[in-house]
Amino acid sequence: DIHDQKVAEEVVRRSEVNLRRVIDTIPTLSWCNLPDGPNEFLSKSWHDYTGLSPEEAHGWGWAAAFHPDDLPPLMKRWQEMLVSGEPGEIEARIRRFDEVYRWFLIRAEPFRDETGTILRWYGTSTDIEDRKRAEDTVLANERNLRLIIDTMPVLAWSARSDGNADFFNQRWLDYTGLTQA
């Protein structure tokens, strides 16, 4: 009896070690939280990235890694997910071990038992800093182009291939008294 129990415990321990290796190998920051929100574990890559030890990040300690401006909306969204039981995502900045903040897409998914009760929340935090910078550059370029087009001393417009107009510059709108619709 005791021998069988010891063998079973060793099988479980090895399985947990193997699972931890798999999780630590996933090329993103991954984590597991309890049904009511505090974390149960964070991947090695999460600890390496943030510089927070498992003891510092345990429970609600993970929140210390987030930018102070992003923490209130992050916590609000997290509470909404906990209440609804629905998966979700949010973007927030996470502090790297060297005190540099980078944007991450944080996704969480509930893990349920056969009755639908949430046992754990599993999630990933994926670095999207480069995407955010590219989006900001595109928006700035669009604003600059719009400014140039709107300040040209001409009436400018464009149309789709079917002949319907899809753009009028501000000078055209001011001249005609119409609005962009």
Side-chain angles (χ1 to χ4, degrees):
D1 249 359
I2 292 176
H3 174 71
D4 289 345
Q5 183 179 353
K6 293 286 184 189
V7 169
E9 288 173 358
E10 180 59 19
V11 168
V12 169
R13 189 192 68 74
R14 284 185 187 171
S15 178
E16 288 174 350
V17 167
N18 189 44
L19 178 60
R20 175 63 78 164
R21 283 189 197 136
V22 169
I23 290 170
D24 287 342
T25 304
I26 295 171
T28 190
L29 311 182
S30 51
W31 43 271
C32 172
N33 284 33
L34 297 172
D36 59 343
N39 86 28
E40 185 171 43
F41 75 82
L42 299 157
S43 66
K44 181 181 181 312
S45 58
W46 196 96
H47 291 293
D48 291 347
Y49 183 85
T50 64
L52 292 175
S53 71
E55 295 76 26
E56 292 171 314
H58 187 71
W60 291 97
W62 56 266
F66 287 88
H67 192 285
D69 294 343
D70 299 340
L71 197 54
L74 173 72
M75 295 305 282
K76 180 180 183 287
R77 180 70 178 119
W78 183 226
Q79 290 300 319
E80 290 169 356
M81 291 167 57
L82 293 173
V83 169
S84 73
E86 294 297 317
E89 62 183 43
I90 189 170
E91 295 176 1
R93 290 166 286 182
I94 298 177
R95 186 186 65 237
R96 198 168 53 196
F97 64 90
D98 61 359
E99 304 295 318
V100 172
Y101 285 95
R102 290 182 60 88
W103 282 100
F104 279 77
L105 174 61
I106 299 131
R107 291 184 168 154
E109 183 81 30
F111 176 73
R112 300 173 188 274
D113 66 12
E114 59 280 346
T115 68
T117 301
I118 296 175
L119 302 176
R120 301 282 186 284
W121 285 86
Y122 290 98
T124 58
S125 302
T126 305
D127 189 320
I128 59 168
E129 180 73 24
D130 295 339
R131 186 197 85 196
K132 293 287 277 188
R133 287 184 187 195
E135 289 172 352
D136 290 346
T137 299
V138 167
L139 289 174
N141 289 342
E142 287 175 352
R143 281 191 302 273
N144 287 339
L145 180 59
R146 181 70 189 208
L147 181 64
I148 290 168
I149 291 172
D150 283 343
T151 57
M152 293 186 323
V154 296
L155 305 180
W157 61 276
S158 68
R160 296 187 301 267
S161 61
D162 65 4
N164 287 316
D166 63 355
F167 170 81
F168 301 98
N169 74 344
Q170 190 60 48
R171 190 171 297 269
W172 193 96
L173 296 172
D174 292 344
Y175 180 79
T176 63
L178 299 175
T179 60
Q180 193 88 268

